[in-house]
Amino acid sequence: MTSTAQPTVPEGRKAHPEHLGHVIFITAAAAMGGFLFGYDSSVINGAVEAIRSRYDVGSAVLAQVIAVALIGCAIGAATAGRVADRIGRIRVMQIAAVLFTVSAVGSALPFALWDLAFWRIIGGFAIGMASVIGPAYIAEVSPSAYRGRLGSFQQAAIVVGIAVSQLVNWGILNLADGQQRGKIAGLEAWQWMLGVMVVPAVLYGLLSFVIPESPRYLISVGKVSRAKEVLSEVEGKSVNLDTRVTEIQDAMRREHKSSFKDLLGSKMGFLPIVWVGIGLSVFQQLVGINVAFYYSSALWQSVGIDPSASFFYSFTTSIINIIGTVIAMIFVDKIGRRPLALIGSAGMAVALGLEAWAFSAKVGATLPATEGTVALIAAHAFVLFFALSWGVVVWVFLGEMFPNKIRAAALGVAASAQWIANWAITASFPSLSDWNLSGTYVIYMIFALLSIPFVLRYVKETKGKALEEMG
């Protein structure tokens, strides 16, 4: 028996903004936090060997200095959601911008190794905050018809930030005659690499003053007329604003301010949906993607490639990262989040297996020609498959998958887990690679394979659903 009745579609799902360009500008401004996230995370790649040389430290201590920022990231991510619920999304962006600026100046002018580590922790706070507030804000201002593509701006900004950091590093290295500790205007090249981040940090802060507050936050603090103005800007004047406000208010009546206690279930600690978010975050990191962005220059130098070429390969990897992200942005709303995740997992597993095979042929500090070529191609393929899948869909999922009543707190916990997993990979890679570089890539391959049954069994598609429908 069939019915001709049409399902009721919430106003937010039917909305198409009349001025999409304005919505894109708002999204891009918010995603500047993602740009800084990518830039600050990856810029250290160019300074690794210089820091090792200047402070005369071994792999274990060096890894802790590189990875210590991720502890700050976890704390920033865990607290950003609750802070944003109290003082607003825009204020959190402005706090992050200040922390990015202070971190850039301090990291460029350290007195000692502990000093450098401290400023990296401060930058980590900012990255963690940006990792939460970016996707949450974008999800809240985006009409659902465009939400997947607009949500992808966060990852797009991250990968552009990574690419720009590598391009800046390469340019500064050339100005310093190929020496990471070469002097430019009284400072060593690596100090300039870390300090240039002041420019985008200040821009992020300025942009935060010209974009509107989230309508959901405005309604939560009683500023309904202003919320209607913002909804009109982002969803179009043809939308029934009273109905949209009522939808959001009805959703809010069924919830209260999210807290850690709200995430707890009766049997498994967290609610099942929170564990799924944590699983997505952890798998995104355990495939080893950030090894490509934190250590790629040092990695290629360790297998016999000269510094200038290693910096160039780091830059080309970043370009591949951007290409993959654009592919994901095109398809995330067309074929859905889950299919992209599964395609990416399979592709990453194959690429990581090829890298493991290539590095198994390492003799001393060099790779044979054939294996070296395979390693370079596989490294780029790995980044491509990550970028067109897990790099984008995890952020889209985390912005969409949680019920309204726990979204902010759950997103904070999931992002925190992501940073802890990131820290584990980043801190362990130098020692693991000293032990067995090929074996290290086998470990990452296993996690890529395990992510496939995880997605198939536990992850539900969120394509095309309004935020008020989640849960």
Side-chain angles (χ1 to χ4, degrees), residues 259-272 274-275 406:
S259 66
F260 186 81
K261 185 184 296 184
D262 297 321
L263 307 182
L264 301 178
S266 58
K267 294 181 179 180
M268 299 183 295
F270 289 121
L271 295 168
V274 178
W275 280 117
I406 64 167

Side-chain angles (χ1 to χ4, degrees), residues 249-267:
Q249 287 175 329
D250 286 345
M252 287 179 172
R253 288 191 192 100
R254 297 192 298 270
E255 66 186 59
H256 56 280
K257 292 290 184 182
S258 58
S259 66
F260 186 81
K261 185 184 296 184
D262 297 321
L263 307 182
L264 301 178
S266 58
K267 294 181 179 180

Side-chain angles (χ1 to χ4, degrees), residues 167-412:
L167 183 60
V168 168
N169 284 355
W170 185 64
I172 291 173
L173 186 72
N174 285 322
L175 286 175
D177 298 321
Q179 301 299 315
Q180 289 167 269
R181 296 195 60 191
K183 290 293 184 71
I184 304 172
L187 296 178
E188 294 183 5
W190 68 274
Q191 293 176 274
W192 283 104
M193 293 175 187
L194 301 182
V196 167
M197 191 179 68
V198 166
V199 176
V202 170
L203 178 60
Y204 180 42
L206 294 175
L207 285 171
S208 70
F209 285 98
V210 298
I211 60 176
E213 183 54 88
S214 157
R216 285 176 174 78
Y217 172 74
L218 291 170
I219 291 171
S220 76
V221 294
K223 298 181 179 180
V224 176
S225 60
R226 176 56 184 150
K228 288 182 178 180
E229 293 175 12
V230 177
L231 286 167
S232 178
E233 289 179 36
V234 300
E235 296 191 356
K237 292 182 172 60
S238 61
V239 173
N240 188 321
L241 298 177
D242 289 330
T243 301
R244 282 295 291 129
V245 169
T246 299
E247 286 177 10
I248 296 170
Q249 287 175 329
D250 286 345
M252 287 179 172
R253 288 191 192 100
R254 297 192 298 270
E255 66 186 59
H256 56 280
K257 292 290 184 182
S258 58
S259 66
F260 186 81
K261 185 184 296 184
D262 297 321
L263 307 182
L264 301 178
S266 58
K267 294 181 179 180
M268 299 183 295
F270 289 121
L271 295 168
I273 190 65
V274 178
W275 280 117
V276 174
I278 291 170
L280 285 167
S281 289
V282 169
F283 272 118
Q284 188 196 52
Q285 297 303 314
L286 294 185
V287 296
I289 186 60
N290 280 308
V291 168
F293 300 123
Y294 296 162
Y295 294 114
S296 60
S297 292
L299 173 63
W300 296 124
Q301 289 174 50
S302 75
V303 293
I305 294 174
D306 68 80
S308 292
S310 72
F311 273 57
F312 178 73
Y313 290 139
S314 295
F315 175 62
T316 59
T317 301
S318 299
I319 297 302
I320 293 294
N321 198 14
I322 292 174
I323 293 170
T325 302
V326 171
I327 293 171
M329 292 175 71
I330 293 170
F331 288 106
V332 69
D333 279 329
K334 292 183 178 179
I335 69 172
R337 289 71 160 139
R338 288 178 82 242
L340 281 180
L342 293 169
I343 291 167
S345 293
M348 287 189 294
V350 172
L352 287 165
L354 288 171
E355 284 193 82
W357 172 81
F359 288 127
S360 69
K362 180 182 176 183
V363 179
T366 60
L367 282 179
T370 300
E371 284 80 357
T373 301
V374 170
L376 280 172
I377 294 173
H380 285 73
F382 166 61
V383 170
L384 176 66
F385 277 105
F386 176 86
L388 64 80
S389 61
W390 285 75
V392 166
V393 299
V394 169
W395 291 111
V396 176
F397 268 130
L398 293 182
E400 294 179 335
M401 65 187 287
F402 301 114
N404 276 338
K405 67 179 181 180
I406 64 167
R407 180 170 295 116
L411 183 52

